[in-house]
Amino acid sequence: MFNIPTVILALAAIMIGIEAGRQWLLSADQDFDLLLAFAFWPLRYAGTPLAAELPHGGADVWSFVTYAFLHGGWEHVIFNLAWLVAFGSALARRFDTFSFLAFFVACAVGGAALHLALHADDLRPVVGASAAVSGLTAGALMFIFQRGGPLGGGHRSDPAAYRVPRMTLAELAANRQVRLYFAVWFILNTVFGLWGDALTGGGGIAWEAHVGGFVTGLLAFPLMDPLRRRG
């Protein structure tokens, strides 16, 4: 735990604190009001009479990000934090704090945007850091399996291991370890997409947001990476 980057610990503390406050301090009505204002509701942008009942103004903008700090229970929080620590830590060691947070926000926005594009009038809110964490994972994959990287052989953990040149998309596709991870990730999201309601007791899993965050991470990482590739 002492080796986890400070920004990761801060995000984890915020998410745990929010969930604790919702569970133990807020009434059911207060919690619903919180969701109305800060969860991502595709319906908010539908322009229908029902959509007018949702808060607008700033909520139209900030909910593209704030939904990532709300969760559907402690299991949801713990799952996302485990992936945040596992893959976000690698990015946090490569980026400065501001750049890392900007990348996190970009992936959250990308996830919400794809979900909105595919579910423009959905009545159900989207909550959870999964889209942002999927984007962090995509970014980490671009260098952690690189030769000399933390998982590129030898399991290095010194600072230089997190500053190896990133892979190109073609190099990612050619890397066996990355292909294996892609396969597992794709299978999991397919399962969630087809049987998510059964697995969550009807709560549903916004797998489209996961895909949006992941693709955003792949596209944004080369633009935001503080290290230039060696030509």
Side-chain angles (χ1 to χ4, degrees):
M1 183 172 180
F2 293 107
N3 293 324
I4 299 174
T6 302
V7 67
I8 300 295
L9 289 175
L11 286 174
I14 291 170
M15 293 178 193
I16 290 171
I18 290 172
E19 186 63 26
R22 291 180 61 203
Q23 294 279 348
W24 301 328
L25 299 179
L26 299 185
S27 67
D29 287 342
Q30 289 172 328
D31 186 52
F32 186 65
D33 287 340
L34 182 74
L35 290 175
L36 288 176
F38 296 104
F40 186 77
W41 298 76
L43 179 66
R44 197 192 307 273
Y45 310 93
T48 63
L50 185 58
E53 300 298 319
L54 291 169
H56 288 278
D60 290 345
V61 179
W62 66 53
S63 62
F64 275 87
V65 178
T66 54
Y67 80 96
F69 294 90
L70 302 170
H71 289 84
W74 286 113
E75 291 181 0
H76 194 196
V77 175
I78 292 170
F79 179 83
N80 277 332
L81 291 184
W83 282 77
L84 175 66
V85 170
F87 291 97
S89 293
L91 282 181
R93 293 187 176 105
R94 187 179 181 97
F95 285 27
D96 61 67
T97 299
F98 177 82
S99 297
F100 175 85
L101 292 175
F103 191 81
F104 180 94
V105 166
C107 295
V109 171
L114 182 61
H115 188 84
L116 176 61
L118 298 177
H119 301 280
D121 57 353
D122 198 335
L123 299 175
R124 296 177 295 179
V126 177
V127 296
S130 298
V133 171
S134 292
L136 297 178
T137 302
L141 288 176
M142 300 195 79
F143 68 91
I144 60 174
F145 292 120
Q146 181 72 290
R147 180 176 299 177
L151 297 179
H155 298 285
R156 292 176 56 191
S157 59
D158 56 286
Y162 299 93
R163 302 183 67 81
V164 295
R166 68 178 181 273
M167 298 183 197
T168 64
L169 293 179
E171 289 169 338
L172 279 178
N175 186 286
R176 182 180 60 82
Q177 293 167 297
V178 173
R179 290 202 307 270
L180 176 61
Y181 179 85
F182 276 150
V184 172
W185 189 88
F186 179 80
I187 291 170
L188 286 175
N189 277 278
T190 299
V191 170
F192 289 150
L194 294 175
W195 299 290
D197 286 347
L199 293 173
T200 60
I205 295 175
W207 64 271
E208 301 93 337
H210 300 181
V211 174
F214 193 88
V215 172
T216 300
L218 285 179
L219 298 178
F221 186 82
L223 301 176
M224 302 178 69
D225 186 12
L227 304 178
R228 292 181 177 271
R229 281 181 56 86
R230 290 194 292 267

